[in-house]
Amino acid sequence: MKLRTIEEVRAEFQASGISISQWAIANGFSPNSVYHILMGRRQGLRGQSHDIAVKLGIKNGEIRTGPVATVLDRSRRRHAATATAGV
C-alpha cells in the first residue's frame, strides 16, 4: 500500500465533504487525536495515535485489537492512575 501524506489526507477530507470529526467518531477515535495527527502535533507512534495514522494511510502498521490490545490498554490505565495518585 502506498502511504499518503498528511496533505493528501486533508485534501481527501475536503473533497469528500466528510468532516474530520465525523470520520473520527465513525471510526471510534477521539476527534482531537485525529486533528493532532493531521496537524503534525503527534507522530502516531503508539496507542490510539498509531491506530489513527494507520487507518488514515499515513503509516504502515497494524491496528491493535483483541486480548493483547485490552491487556496493553489496562496496563496503561493502571500506570497512569498510579502516576497521578502521588500528585
Side-chain angles (χ1 to χ4, degrees), residues 17-86:
I18 298 172
S19 75
I20 294 168
S21 291
Q22 287 174 320
W23 182 90
I25 293 167
N27 286 280
F29 298 124
S30 158
N32 283 337
S33 294
V34 176
Y35 279 108
H36 284 288
I37 293 290
L38 292 175
M39 291 169 39
R41 291 184 182 161
R42 291 192 186 150
Q43 296 177 346
L45 299 177
R46 290 176 287 288
Q48 188 178 68
S49 295
H50 164 84
D51 295 347
I52 292 166
V54 171
K55 186 84 171 183
L56 289 171
I58 60 176
K59 177 184 179 183
N60 285 322
E62 296 179 20
I63 296 177
R64 302 172 295 122
T65 59
V68 173
T70 304
V71 169
L72 291 174
D73 288 342
R74 257 188 276 152
S75 174
R76 186 185 61 189
R77 283 193 300 268
R78 187 172 38 247
H79 177 61
T82 57
T84 59

Side-chain angles (χ1 to χ4, degrees), residues 1-19:
M1 176 175 93
K2 180 185 179 288
L3 295 180
R4 301 185 297 174
T5 66
I6 289 174
E7 293 77 20
E8 289 172 334
V9 173
R10 291 180 72 83
E12 192 172 315
F13 275 116
Q14 191 171 22
S16 70
I18 298 172
S19 75

